[in-house]
Amino acid sequence: MPATHSKAVPEKKPETANKLRKWKKKSRYAKTEEQRLKAEQMIRIHTPKEMKEVVPKKQELTEDQLLDQMIRENKKLRKNPEFIKQQEQAELKRQHLDRERQLIREKIKGDAKERKEQEEKEKEKQLEAYKLYKQDEATLNEHMNSHKELLTEFSEKTGVMETLLEKHKGNKKKAKKDYKSQTTEMCRFFEYVICKISKEKEIPYDDAKTLYYDNVCNTMEQNVSKDSLKQLMASL
């Protein structure tokens, strides 16, 4: 019977204990994308993570300990020349700021007082001006009424109102309005002329008024036929 020869079975290499090294090698020799991704995944798994440094917790101080610590630090600072210099500069700055604030307050108070005094003076001036205005207004009204009486007398003599009624075709409202307008205009004209005479001749207002009224009356007597106040004014 012929002799038989069995094939030798190759010995299996023992698996390495360093799995990280194993998977790195497989990653280098990977033939497919799937093999490479698998190797990289295993590399991440077997890569040892860095140990974080454990920082010991700082011991918390009690209130008494904190107070003692602050007292010790303050004592040290009081002897520190740099700290002493800083404190002196801070004090000088504070004093300077206090003086500036005081000056600003005094200026604001002074300005407010001066403004109030000016307002009071202005009110007094306005009141005085108003009183003078009222006095002048009363005097002017008195003068104007005197001129109006003279013109009314002239109007009655010459029949000015009847002439105005004819002019406005019997419309009394328009005739009265026209008569009032002419009378006001004439009164202002009389006042202007009398003041001018008083100033030019340097005589009192009443004397100037007497002179002018005499002139007006003479003109009225010579022009009794005048049918409007405007015509009278034109003849003066």
Side-chain angles (χ1 to χ4, degrees):
M1 205 174 161
T4 59
H5 300 281
S6 60
K7 291 182 179 181
V9 179
E11 293 183 2
K12 190 176 182 181
K13 291 182 180 181
E15 190 173 346
T16 179
N18 192 336
K19 295 188 181 294
L20 179 59
R21 182 179 176 186
K22 167 188 170 182
W23 286 107
K24 283 182 176 181
K25 184 177 179 181
K26 285 188 176 185
S27 175
R28 286 195 303 271
Y29 294 103
K31 294 181 180 180
T32 63
E33 182 67 16
E34 184 179 357
Q35 289 176 350
R36 188 183 64 77
L37 291 175
K38 176 66 175 176
E40 288 179 357
Q41 181 184 8
M42 297 306 292
I43 288 170
R44 286 195 296 271
I45 292 172
H46 293 291
T47 299
K49 295 180 181 179
E50 294 181 2
M51 297 293 290
K52 290 184 180 180
E53 186 179 354
V54 179
V55 180
K57 289 185 179 180
K58 191 175 181 179
Q59 184 180 0
E60 294 183 0
L61 301 177
T62 63
E63 291 184 4
D64 292 339
Q65 290 173 332
L66 285 171
L67 184 60
D68 292 338
Q69 184 178 347
M70 290 172 65
I71 291 171
R72 287 193 300 271
E73 290 176 355
N74 283 335
K75 286 180 179 179
K76 290 180 182 179
L77 284 173
R78 287 174 186 172
K79 296 177 182 179
N80 188 330
E82 185 65 27
F83 175 75
I84 293 171
K85 184 178 179 181
Q86 290 177 358
Q87 289 294 100
E88 290 174 351
Q89 290 176 347
E91 179 62 20
L92 290 172
K93 186 176 181 181
R94 185 190 64 78
Q95 292 176 3
H96 177 69
L97 290 174
D98 287 344
R99 283 195 298 270
E100 280 190 346
R101 293 191 189 101
Q102 183 64 27
L103 291 173
I104 291 171
R105 282 194 293 269
E106 290 176 358
K107 186 177 184 305
I108 291 172
K109 288 180 180 179
D111 291 346
K113 184 180 179 181
E114 184 178 352
R115 188 165 54 250
K116 188 175 181 181
E117 290 175 354
Q118 289 292 337
E119 289 175 356
E120 292 295 330
K121 288 180 181 179
E122 190 64 27
K123 285 180 181 178
E124 289 177 3
K125 287 182 181 179
Q126 290 177 1
L127 182 60
E128 188 65 25
Y130 179 73
K131 287 179 180 178
L132 291 173
Y133 165 75
K134 294 302 288 185
Q135 289 175 1
D136 292 342
E137 185 182 33
T139 303
L140 179 62
N141 289 336
E142 184 181 347
H143 294 172
M144 296 291 278
N145 288 332
S146 175
H147 306 332
K148 189 176 180 181
E149 289 176 5
L150 185 64
L151 291 170
T152 301
E153 181 183 347
F154 170 76
S155 300
E156 290 174 353
K157 286 181 180 180
T158 57
V160 171
M161 196 63 192
E162 287 77 8
T163 303
L164 292 174
L165 282 169
E166 290 179 8
K167 175 185 175 182
H168 294 290
K169 299 178 181 180
N171 190 322
K172 291 183 179 180
K173 187 175 181 180
K174 288 185 178 180
K176 286 181 179 180
K177 184 177 180 180
D178 195 357
Y179 176 77
K180 183 178 180 182
S181 174
Q182 290 189 32
T183 302
T184 302
E185 186 177 354
M186 284 294 292
C187 287
R188 289 173 180 168
F189 176 74
F190 280 16
E191 185 66 15
Y192 165 75
V193 175
I194 293 169
C195 290
K196 185 178 180 182
I197 293 171
S198 174
K199 184 177 180 180
E200 289 178 351
K201 294 183 177 295
E202 296 181 354
I203 58 176
Y205 177 88
D206 289 340
D207 292 346
K209 175 183 171 184
T210 301
L211 286 175
Y212 185 65
Y213 271 22
D214 289 343
N215 182 35
V216 171
C217 290
N218 290 333
T219 305
M220 286 180 178
E221 290 175 0
Q222 296 172 8
N223 300 278
V224 177
S225 61
K226 298 294 180 185
D227 57 1
S228 76
L229 297 177
K230 289 185 177 179
Q231 288 177 342
L232 172 64
M233 184 170 67
S235 64
L236 291 174

